[in-house]
Amino acid sequence: MSRVPQKKLAVPASSETTVQLPDGVALHARPAGAFVKTALRFGARLTVASDGKQADAKSILAVLALGARGGTELRLSGDGDDAAAAIDALATCVRNLSE
């Protein structure tokens, strides 16, 4: 009796981290635009959460709706093949935001 190897199901990679918005920097139009522009470089499904609200990191309107202010902690999450790289890039982007 020969055994046929079973295919492994591909499970998308996921990643998550938290990062704090710099003091004095809110996620208004310009900083949110830079954040979304960074997210759009990746194929992973990316979300950002703050104070109980969650948003699609690739949607400028959703990110603006978070109303995140300076000093707020953001939880960045991603699912997909490039999720880890995307989360690293987004965390770096947040740390480097300025008014």
Side-chain angles (χ1 to χ4, degrees):
M1 176 157 66
S2 67
R3 263 191 113 157
V4 177
Q6 291 184 343
K7 291 184 180 179
K8 291 184 179 181
L9 297 176
V11 177
S14 64
S15 188
E16 184 173 305
T17 194
T18 57
V19 65
Q20 188 172 353
L21 272 171
D23 288 331
V25 178
L27 274 182
H28 58 75
R30 193 172 39 80
F35 180 85
V36 170
K37 194 175 200 178
T38 300
L40 287 169
R41 295 184 354 223
F42 299 91
R45 188 176 72 77
L46 302 167
T47 58
V48 55
S50 172
D51 295 328
K53 299 180 203 173
Q54 184 170 322
D56 177 353
K58 296 180 180 182
S59 167
I60 187 74
L61 294 178
V63 172
L64 288 170
L66 290 174
R69 303 245 181 250
T72 301
E73 189 172 273
L74 303 176
R75 189 180 79 245
L76 308 174
S77 305
D79 291 311
D81 291 337
D82 58 355
I87 296 302
D88 286 345
L90 286 173
T92 299
C93 175
V94 169
R95 286 186 203 101
N96 292 327
L97 289 175
S98 62
E99 286 294 322

